[in-house]
Amino acid sequence: MPDPLHSHPTPTDDAGETAETAALHDELLELALEAARRAGALLRDGRPADLGVAATKSSPIDVVTEMDLASEKLITTFLAERRPDDGFLGEEGASVDGTSGVRWVIDPVDGTVNYLYDLPSWAVSIAAEKDGETVVGVVAAPMRGETFQAVRGRGAFKNGARIRHRPAPLLSQALVGTGFGYLTERRAAQAEVVRTLLPQVRDIRRGGSAAIDLCDAACGRLDAYYERGLNPWDLAAGVLIAEEAGLRTGGRPGRAASGELTVTASPALFGQLQPLLDELGAWHD
């Protein structure tokens, strides 16, 4: 069975790119795939049996492990050796402005609590921005044997096969993914939103990795996904993959997906879910 982390499909259309832009996007995609493959292998094969918390961030339950740090170092070192003029933004502290117009946005372990507890739903998320726009996204989930990828304008792929979202159901028949923050007040507000939303949909799922949830929506395992409090590294790659799979993404009405609120669904369902979430106050604590 081929290793999905080695999957390198070549899209059949050029998305209207110039030859120079297409070559850059190809290079960024290949580097993101290889960096994600290496980091995924490190995390999968190198996880110590006695893995513990190395540090906490916003609250005592917002954790970092030694493997988060090792994964980010591996990714940034690999990319910097090949593209030394690029910038970086990483969850565990990588921050470099760069001079090339390209910035890498990296979550070395999206779903750290899942990883800490040896649950399989964690991923490596790597996005490349050019002049502030996300142009490449890769989300590798080694324990699921899956790698998702997208280049802007070329479609989205899972293990080399093109993916599309599910047809839009009625809101009452929608399976909706979400996630919760780490601050007590935010969690209480998010629980209130779920309490009101749950009777109006088929069901709600909480997987623990925003990047995987966005990709699961992209390939039809969820009808929709929303969450407040995501960081750029949580959403950059997954949002591009969702959009390239035909989903609509956004935040509050008229706004882009952001830490305030991220919503993704097929266009018809998005038109029902986004205003409901706005009315329920899913965008504030």
Side-chain angles (χ1 to χ4, degrees):
M1 177 179 174
D3 182 349
L5 294 184
H6 284 88
S7 174
H8 292 57
T10 301
T12 55
D13 66 83
D14 64 5
E17 302 164 311
T18 66
E20 182 179 4
T21 299
L24 174 63
H25 291 176
D26 288 343
E27 177 188 1
L28 299 178
L29 176 62
E30 291 298 313
L31 289 173
L33 284 165
E34 180 60 17
R37 184 195 68 79
R38 294 186 182 200
L42 170 72
L43 293 162
R44 180 191 61 217
D45 302 334
R47 182 187 182 279
D50 59 348
L51 180 66
V53 174
T56 59
K57 292 184 284 188
S58 63
S59 80
I61 56 174
D62 185 5
V63 300
V64 181
T65 73
E66 62 189 88
M67 297 302 289
D68 293 74
L69 303 173
S71 175
E72 183 161 297
K73 183 177 180 180
L74 182 157
I75 293 166
T76 56
T77 299
F78 173 83
L79 295 173
E81 286 175 349
R82 287 150 182 83
R83 293 187 54 88
D85 297 326
D86 291 354
F88 291 95
L89 178 65
E91 180 174 16
E92 307 312 335
S95 181
V96 176
D97 290 336
T99 58
S100 66
V102 172
R103 182 175 76 158
W104 298 93
V105 183
I106 301 159
D107 194 337
V109 186
D110 188 65
T112 295
V113 173
N114 285 347
Y115 185 74
L116 178 66
Y117 280 78
D118 203 18
L119 293 167
S121 289
W122 54 268
V124 178
S125 176
I126 303 176
E129 299 173 343
K130 180 69 169 78
D131 299 328
E133 179 183 54
T134 304
V135 294
V136 167
V138 169
V139 174
M143 304 307 292
R144 303 197 336 180
E146 295 177 341
T147 297
F148 296 85
Q149 66 189 71
V151 173
R152 184 166 296 280
R154 297 189 190 175
F157 297 81
K158 175 174 72 74
N159 293 356
R162 189 180 288 268
I163 56 174
R164 292 286 296 176
H165 63 84
R166 291 174 65 89
L170 298 173
L171 180 64
S172 62
Q173 297 174 14
L175 182 63
V176 180
T178 192
F180 307 118
Y182 293 107
L183 300 175
T184 300
E185 289 185 2
R186 175 163 296 174
R187 292 163 73 86
Q190 290 171 324
E192 281 301 304
V193 173
V194 169
R195 183 184 65 82
T196 307
L197 180 63
L198 182 57
Q200 302 184 56
V201 298
R202 182 189 297 274
D203 209 345
I204 290 178
R205 294 287 182 269
R206 193 274 201 264
S209 165
I212 288 178
D213 285 343
L214 285 161
C215 291
D216 278 349
C219 70
R221 293 170 176 155
L222 294 170
D223 293 306
Y225 164 76
Y226 78 93
E227 188 166 348
R228 169 165 167 74
L230 298 183
N231 294 294
W233 46 80
D234 298 315
L235 62 86
V239 162
L240 178 63
I241 291 165
E243 290 174 348
E244 289 297 315
L247 293 172
R248 185 174 170 189
T249 67
R252 295 195 69 193
R255 300 185 188 180
S258 70
E260 182 180 52
L261 182 65
T262 295
V263 185
T264 189
S266 58
L269 181 58
F270 187 95
Q272 302 173 68
L273 181 61
Q274 185 199 44
L276 175 59
L277 291 170
D278 194 59
E279 179 184 341
L280 294 178
W283 49 275
H284 66 79
D285 300 336

